[in-house]
Each structure stands twice: as C-alpha cells, then as structure tokens.
Amino acid sequence: MQVSHEGEAILRFRSGLFAFAVLALAGCGTASSGYDESLRYPPRADVVVIRPPYAEPTELHPPGRRDEFLRTYSSEIGGKIVDPAAVDVEVLAVLTAALEETFGTPAAPKLVSDFTNGEQLAAGSKLYRSQCAHCHGLTGEGRGPTGLFLEPPPRDFRNGVFKSGAGTPRPSGAALQRVIRHGVPGTQMQPYDLLSDQEVTGLLTYVVHLSIRGECETKALTAAFDPEEGLLPIEVAALVQRTATASLEAWRAGWKQELPGVELPTDAEAVRRGYALTTMVGCTSCHGANLQGGAFRYDVWGNVTRVPDLTKADWKWGREPGDLHARIRHGIAAVNMPANPGISERQVLDLTSFLSVIGRPDLLPDDVRKEIHKP
Amino acid sequence: MMLMEIEQRVVPRWLRIWAYLTLICAAAVLILGALITTFRVGMSDPVWPTEPWFLVVNDHVWANEPAPGFLIEHTHRLVAWCIGVFATVLAIGAWTTEPNRKVRICGLVAVILLLVAYLAFHGEMGGAWRARKAGGNLRWPYATGALCLTCLLAAIGVSAWAWKQRSTGAIFRIVATAALVAVMIQGLLGGYRVFLDQLMGTQLAAIHGSFGQVTFALLAAVVVLAAAPRIGSEIDDRTLVKLSVTLVALVLAQLVWGVWMRHLGSTTAQRLHLFTAFLVFGIGTILAMRIFNGGASLQSLRYSAIQLLGIFAVQIYLGIEAYLGKFAVTGSAALLPPELRPVETTAAVVRTAHTLIGAALLGSIVALAVRIRLMMPVEERTLSYTINVDPSESETRELLRIG
C-alpha cells in the first residue's frame, strides 16, 4: 500500500498526538486511593492543654501560630500543659506500639468492636484522606496544612469532645451526620450533601476511630506527665485498653439518641419572656447586653474563640427548635457554655422562642427589637 | 513609512497594550492559584458562584476577620473575573480588526452571544447552588448549558470562516477568541472544583491547574501575535520549527505532571515530572544553540534564546528547592504524607515561584515558537495571506509577518 507524503505527515502527527496523550495520562495516577501501607499514625507532637490561663484572652491567635501560643500557657499565668516532648521516651515508644496494636494504621485502621468493621473503616479512611485530612489532619488533630490557617480552627477529635453533642458525653450519630451533610454555618466546614449514605457512614466511623485513638493517646500522655499519677511503661497498654473501652461505651450511649420534638409557644409574650430570661439565666454575661457577642474566651482545646453574635442567628449546630432547646438546656461544654438544669421547661421554651426569631427583626416585638437591633 | 502604517493598522496600539495587561492579569491569577494550592485553601469558601465584588460589599466578612485562606481564595476569584473582562475586551477588540465586514460582524455577534449565554449559565448555577443549600435536588442548567455550547460552535464556525478568508491578522483573532473561551472554561473548572468538591474536587482542581497553564500560553501567544510584525530576514530551518513545537508540547506535559504531583501526590507524575525536566532542558538547549549558531538571520531571536536559558537556570534551581522542601523532609513532618505536611513560608514562596516561572517558561516557549513560525517563508507556513490593502503595496505582502 502506498501512502502519500501528505498522508504520512498526518499519520505521524496523529501518532505523536496519541503518544503525547498516553504519556500525559500516565502521570495522572492519583494517590487518593488510600494511604501507603507503610504509613503510621505519627505520635502527638502538639501540647495537651489541661487548663488555659486564668485571664480571659484579648485577641485571636494569629493564623498559623496557634501551637506557638498554646506552649505559652505556663503555670505562672494559671495555665497547665503537657508537652509530649517532655514525656519519658520509653513510655512514648510503648504507647506508640500499643496504639498501633489497638487502632492499626491509616491504611488498615482497626476498632475492635461491633461498632464498625474494618472494611467500613478503611473506606472511611480513604475518603477522609481526600476530603477531610487537609483540615482535620492525619490523626484528627485539626492541624492539617489548611487547618492551621482557618478561623475558627477545625475540630480536634482527640479529646473526645464535640460541640454537636447534646446532653450525652459524645454526640449522636445523627448529629455528626448532620454536621457532615450540612456543614457548619459560619465556619469553613462545608456541606457534604452529595456523598452517598454509605460514604457518610464510613466517614463517621472513621472520625469515631480517630477520636477514640486520640483520647487514648491524650490520656496516656497526661497520666505519664502527672507527677502524682505517673505512668510506667508496663501500664501503658492496659491504660490504652481501658480508655478505649470507656470511650467506646460513651459513644455507644448517645449514638442513637434523637432530639425530642419541641412545641414552641409562638406568642409575642413568650418572646418577651425569653428575652428577659437572657439576663436572668446569664446569657448576657458572655454574649453581651445586646447579645451581639464579640468577646474572646478559651475553649477546652486552649484555642481562643469569639463569643458568637446571637442576633445573626448563625446557628452552627442546627436551627430547629429542638437544637436550640438542647443548647440551652445542656450548654456546650467544649466552649464552657454552662448547662441550665435548674430552670423550668417553660423557661427553656420561652428562651427557645426568643432565639428562634432573634435573627428576624420583623418577627420580634417592637420593644425587644429596639433593644437588640439598635441602629 | 507606508509599511509601518499598514503594520499598525493590523492590531491597534491600544489592543496590544491590552493584550499585555491581560497577560499580566493572568500571571496574577496564576500566583494566587499557586498560593491556594500551596496552602490548600481552595475550599475556604464552599459557596460558588459568588459575585466578583463579594469581598468589597460584604461588610460582615471584614467584621469577622476573615482567615487568610478565605482572602486568598476570594482575591483569586476577583482577579479571575478581571481576567474575564480583559479577555472579553481583547476578543471583541480583535474582531473589530477584521477587514471583511461580514466576517467582522459575525465574529462580534458570536463572541457577544457566547458571553451572554455564559453569564446566563453562571446565573443559573447560582440558582442551583441556592436550591442545593435549601436542601433541594441538584438541578443542572441544561438549557443554558446547551445554549453556551451552541454559541461556542457558532464562534468556532465564524473563526473557521475567518481562517478561510485568509485575511490579515486572522490567527490573532482566532487565538484571542480561543483565549477567551479558555478563560471561560477555566472559570467554570474553578467553580466546579468548589461546587463538586466532595465528588471530584481534587481531580477538578488538578485539571483547573493544568488548564490554567494552557490559558496562560494562549494569552502569551496573543501578545506575540498582537505585536507589530518584525521586518527582518526569513529563515529556512524546519528543524527549528520542529524543535520549538516539540518544546511547547514537552513543557506543557511537564506542567501537567507538576500539577498532578502537587494536587494528587501521584508518584508516577513525580517521576515523569523529573524525567521530562531533563528532556525539556536538553531540547531547549539544542534549540538555543541552533539559534546562536544560526547566523544573522536568527539575530532577532537571540535575546529570546538567552531569556529561555535564564528561565531554565532559575526554574531548575527552584524545582530542586521545591522538591527537597516537599519530599525530602526530616523530623515529625517526614511521618506525614507529602500533601499533609505543614507549609513553611519559604517553602510556599519557592513552590509558588516555581509554578509561576513554569508558566513563564511555557509562555516564553510559545512566544518563541510563534515567532519562529512567523519567520518561515510564506509558502512554508500552513496559512498564507493575501492582504486586502492597496494593490500598489503588493511588495509588502511577503514582509508582513502577521499570522
């Protein structure tokens, strides 16, 4: 067969194009298929904040320098921290081995319980790497490369403390699922509403896995550092097991909890009573007289947070009456917002009525609106 | 004198300056995009689309002391909108230089219709976002999407018609239109990177990063094509053309693998990025040597060749530093996967500079390749022209180097 000069040129061009495309696509392999099997969870390097300084903070931590500031919480200013670098090397080595034995590796995570299975965890781990790790970090420490520069900082799962819980030591599966599905308004936690239920379940169980692992590590480091309690290398594995079992039980206790439905009084009087209660209950002591927040406080992680402006009604943990009711009744322990077990159900409902319309000046009674939405 | 007048008539001075400004704007977008990738803050605002003036009119953003990542991301979006405006004016301005009235009107109408359809599509995507946020189903704007495609086909059709007419500056107009389309596609890729983050965010971010380089290269080509034609000696060296075109393809591949390495940590891409660096350097050096040894006819390309070698030197240095900074770390950072290692300011500067110089390298090579192509004898070029100017100026036809 004879090929014309022009045809040959076209053939050459096409072959070149094909070779180029093959080469280009050869480089497109992704690492999002999971972690390398040799990868291990790194030991905790940041300090554990046992107690923040006495004095209230006056400003937010500068972006990217949070850990630097946490290290300054010395006992002279009322703070208490545990620096993993100061813990006995032998204890650290045994702790690392015990954690790996109990929780596996990022590529093969383990959580010995009927709470989840290895397959679900591994799937969650893969998805976590591609969607969550750049903010929440490899071990759920909230210090991924992006997380360092976010305000408020991403959740650190390792204390076993979550803001989305309501009345139970750990949040329910539904509450965590809502955080993933709907995101957290006012923060950079985005909604993951296009993921399948299976994927979300995988993510949830992996977050629980990281949380329990982190809790065991934190507990062991704190114990090892405490001059009164102390921790011998031989005791580490047992402590990890005990903590894991207790934490798992705590998760299990509230996992299936659902918020009760709340029937709100809708009359203006209830809103007025709710507004009056904000001073009586003590809301104004942190959120300010006009409830516009702005003050700075420490949270349980030692971070500086800004007290939210309630008049914006930017409810992070749900805007349904049941969510607001639970916040008022049970508080948010992670940010030292107190629970209110002493006030009556009627008072909680009045406060909920008020808060449910606080962001809508058109629904507020004139006198209340004038007070909190001053020009 | 007459010759100079004809040259200036091809692409007006304001349009040349505009082309330069567009390229500068594109460089700014690339720097911001590289910073976003370096600090992994592409999702610091999960809402898309947002208005271009978002940062300016939203007081609450400033009242709440926005995170640096949020500011970088929104500045990137803002400058990207600016480049959209620049590219639009460039494309419209380019079509106004079309000598054939019918083609000119059709070209202008096609570009304007494309813009209207694109803006309508953007608006409907905003509606889709709001519906999704309100808990509704995701509704894709198929109708306006189809309208966009139709207008794009119309623009391609008019460009083909202009190509067939072989009028002066046809390639300039076609490449300017292609650059506008590339800017539009790039904008959508950036948006979908945010909109569909949970499904394929990283992959779309990598495609967005790669296509950004293509867009930048097209804008660099527009700048060269908009420049006043050089009146000089012709060259008759097809190897030079082949070398320059090969180099464009290799640098593009090199950049794609670099993007894939940065976004996805692909180990294959790491290897190919390093391997291709040697090829690019080798072929680039051969090309430069050929220009240096090419005698007086290639005198005008010597500066470009020196510039190319200079960029190589800087880029290799930055590449080594960036690679060591990311992959050859010690201490606690070594226990993390590369994409999760904390980014120091120096490393961020090096990586961003490496990305930007990479884009500058591609732009320079594209510019050089276009110039070499334009220096080939008219019959050697794929596209030759019959210039519709005064017949008495026929002797100037062969000297005009407008593609």
Side-chain angles (χ1 to χ4, degrees):
Chain A
M1 195 177 80
Q2 211 171 10
V3 182
S4 69
H5 181 70
E6 199 177 329
E8 206 176 295
I10 292 171
L11 203 65
R12 259 208 322 267
F13 175 73
R14 284 185 183 165
S15 312
L17 201 66
F18 178 71
F20 178 74
V22 168
L23 269 175
L25 290 173
C28 300
T30 74
S32 57
S33 50
Y35 295 103
D36 191 291
E37 281 182 13
S38 64
L39 184 75
R40 299 286 178 269
Y41 286 113
R44 180 168 183 154
D46 57 295
V47 296
V48 180
V49 176
I50 308 288
R51 190 176 61 231
Y54 292 135
E56 295 296 358
T58 53
E59 57 184 359
L60 295 170
H61 289 148
R65 295 177 58 198
R66 189 164 28 127
D67 283 333
E68 225 177 276
F69 277 80
L70 295 186
R71 284 184 181 278
T72 64
Y73 293 179
S74 62
S75 54
E76 287 94 55
I77 54 170
K80 186 178 177 188
I81 53 171
V82 171
D83 187 353
V87 174
D88 179 49
V89 181
E90 204 181 333
V91 170
L92 285 180
V94 179
L95 176 61
T96 305
L99 288 172
E100 190 173 325
E101 172 69 27
T102 313
F103 298 100
T105 63
K110 286 195 285 186
L111 190 63
V112 184
S113 141
D114 56 356
F115 195 83
T116 180
N117 58 56
E119 208 176 300
Q120 205 172 36
L121 268 181
S125 167
K126 281 180 195 170
L127 198 56
Y128 180 87
R129 181 183 188 183
S130 64
Q131 301 292 344
C132 319
H134 64 99
C135 285
H136 290 286
L138 182 60
T139 58
E141 78 282 6
R143 287 167 171 78
T146 309
L148 294 173
F149 297 91
L150 298 183
E151 185 53 50
R155 180 69 57 251
D156 176 352
F157 307 140
R158 298 170 303 171
N159 288 26
V161 181
F162 292 78
K163 291 185 189 172
S164 48
T168 50
R170 303 290 183 276
S172 67
L176 274 188
Q177 187 164 351
R178 191 171 58 185
V179 169
I180 294 178
R181 283 269 181 231
H182 300 292
V184 182
T187 74
Q188 275 139 41
M189 172 70 192
Q190 58 161 320
Y192 287 88
D193 54 344
L194 300 178
L195 297 181
S196 68
D197 288 343
Q198 204 181 354
E199 286 172 320
V200 171
T201 308
L203 269 184
L204 283 181
T205 50
Y206 190 67
V207 166
V208 172
H209 157 87
L210 287 179
S211 174
I212 298 176
R213 187 193 169 279
E215 217 179 328
C216 291
E217 188 179 31
T218 307
K219 183 101 177 165
L221 288 172
T222 312
F225 193 74
D226 193 327
E228 287 173 19
E229 198 176 339
L231 186 67
L232 296 172
I234 200 168
E235 298 168 329
V236 170
L239 178 68
V240 166
Q241 285 305 325
R242 274 202 312 276
T243 313
T245 309
S247 179
L248 200 55
E249 281 311 309
W251 275 103
R252 219 191 285 273
W255 190 251
K256 292 195 173 157
Q257 191 201 42
E258 284 180 16
L259 289 176
V262 173
E263 284 287 323
L264 278 188
T266 52
D267 56 303
E269 266 320 297
V271 174
R272 278 197 190 92
R273 285 196 304 271
Y275 174 59
L277 277 166
T278 55
T279 311
M280 199 195 96
V281 172
C283 308
T284 49
S285 62
C286 285
H287 291 282
N290 53 7
L291 301 173
Q292 289 179 0
F296 297 105
R297 294 284 186 276
Y298 288 110
D299 62 20
V300 294
W301 296 274
N303 302 319
V304 178
T305 59
R306 190 196 296 271
V307 178
D309 179 352
L310 298 183
T311 62
K312 285 185 179 160
D314 216 1
W315 309 116
K316 291 186 172 69
W317 313 109
R319 53 178 59 251
E320 296 301 319
D323 301 311
L324 299 174
H325 181 279
R327 294 276 90 80
I328 296 165
R329 178 62 86 190
H330 302 294
I332 306 177
V335 285
N336 303 311
M337 174 173 158
N340 291 295
I343 60 174
S344 69
E345 183 60 20
R346 163 76 183 273
Q347 288 174 315
V348 177
L349 288 175
D350 286 344
L351 265 171
T352 308
S353 285
F354 167 61
L355 290 179
S356 63
V357 292
I358 191 171
R360 296 279 308 274
D362 54 317
L363 296 180
L364 285 169
D366 288 346
D367 50 335
V368 178
R369 183 173 56 244
K370 278 177 193 159
E371 284 298 315
I372 60 172
H373 287 287
K374 286 174 187 164
Chain B
M1 191 61 200
M2 179 62 79
L3 190 61
M4 289 310 291
E5 280 170 18
I6 294 164
E7 286 161 17
Q8 282 170 5
R9 223 182 294 156
V10 174
V11 179
R13 189 181 169 79
W14 75 267
L15 204 50
R16 285 181 215 159
I17 295 170
W18 196 263
Y20 274 107
L21 290 175
T22 312
L23 193 66
I24 291 167
C25 194
V29 178
L30 276 180
I31 293 174
L32 288 163
L35 280 173
I36 286 169
T37 307
T38 302
F39 290 111
R40 297 201 162 256
V41 291
M43 284 308 297
S44 52
D45 186 355
V47 181
W48 179 86
T50 48
E51 306 90 352
W53 44 87
F54 180 83
L55 276 185
V56 185
V57 297
N58 284 285
D59 292 341
H60 73 271
V61 172
W62 299 102
N64 290 332
E65 294 173 33
F70 188 86
L71 289 181
I72 298 174
E73 166 66 14
H74 271 284
T75 314
H76 178 68
R77 292 187 194 185
L78 176 66
V79 185
W81 268 92
C82 292
I83 201 177
V85 174
F86 273 101
T88 301
V89 174
L90 189 63
I92 290 176
W95 279 105
T96 58
T97 63
E98 166 65 49
N100 184 319
R101 191 164 173 270
K102 275 185 191 168
V103 180
R104 182 169 67 235
I105 291 170
C106 288
L108 286 169
V109 169
V111 168
I112 290 166
L113 282 180
L114 181 60
L115 278 167
V116 171
Y118 183 74
L119 288 175
F121 185 74
H122 247 85
E124 290 212 11
M125 279 311 299
W129 169 264
R130 284 188 290 277
R132 187 179 141 191
K133 199 179 171 196
N137 288 331
L138 184 57
R139 280 184 296 113
W140 292 99
Y142 290 115
T144 42
L147 186 66
C148 274
L149 281 178
T150 311
C151 293
L152 177 62
L153 287 175
I156 292 171
V158 178
S159 299
W161 186 19
W163 172 280
K164 249 187 143 182
Q165 295 288 314
R166 300 178 178 232
S167 53
T168 311
I171 289 190
F172 167 68
R173 285 183 285 283
I174 291 167
V175 178
T177 311
L180 173 66
V181 172
V183 168
M184 288 173 164
I185 293 171
Q186 180 67 351
L188 283 182
L189 283 172
Y192 285 127
R193 179 264 174 276
V194 173
F195 196 82
L196 298 175
D197 174 67
Q198 47 195 297
L199 297 183
M200 53 177 99
T202 317
Q203 287 80 358
L204 279 172
I207 294 169
H208 180 57
S210 308
F211 198 74
Q213 304 287 354
V214 175
T215 310
F216 187 79
L218 278 171
L219 289 169
V222 173
V223 167
V224 178
L225 292 167
R230 288 161 194 269
I231 307 303
S233 51
E234 287 178 348
I235 55 170
D236 192 12
D237 185 354
R238 291 191 64 79
T239 312
L240 214 54
V241 177
K242 282 181 187 169
L243 278 174
S244 61
V245 171
T246 308
L247 202 54
V248 169
L250 280 175
V251 171
L252 191 58
Q254 168 76 344
L255 288 170
V256 169
W257 293 323
V259 168
W260 237 256
M261 181 174 78
R262 249 160 87 76
H263 284 268
L264 300 167
S266 159
T267 48
T268 318
Q270 275 181 48
R271 288 173 173 84
L272 285 170
H273 188 67
L274 290 174
F275 173 69
T276 319
F278 287 101
L279 281 180
V280 167
F281 181 66
I283 293 180
T285 309
I286 293 170
L287 178 69
M289 295 316 292
R290 215 174 167 88
I291 290 172
F292 290 139
N293 298 329
S297 61
L298 295 179
Q299 187 74 28
S300 60
L301 294 179
R302 283 192 178 183
Y303 175 72
S304 300
I306 293 169
Q307 186 194 29
L308 194 63
L309 292 177
I311 293 177
F312 276 150
V314 175
Q315 186 65 343
I316 288 170
Y317 170 71
L318 287 172
I320 291 169
E321 286 297 324
Y323 193 87
L324 291 177
K326 184 161 186 173
F327 297 105
V329 295
T330 53
S332 57
L335 300 172
L336 297 168
E339 81 272 14
L340 295 182
R341 289 172 189 161
V343 185
E344 304 294 335
T345 312
T346 321
V349 170
V350 168
R351 284 181 213 172
T352 307
H354 186 54
T355 309
L356 185 68
I357 301 290
L361 181 64
L362 180 65
S364 306
I365 290 172
V366 166
L368 184 62
V370 172
R371 284 185 60 196
I372 290 173
R373 192 78 183 155
L374 294 176
M375 286 173 76
M376 294 295 286
V378 175
E379 63 273 18
E380 286 285 318
R381 288 190 239 151
T382 315
L383 184 68
S384 57
Y385 303 103
T386 306
I387 301 162
N388 300 322
V389 291
D390 193 323
S392 64
E393 291 161 354
S394 58
E395 71 276 9
T396 64
R397 289 176 194 169
E398 295 298 308
L399 292 174
L400 278 173
R401 302 291 173 222
I402 303 298

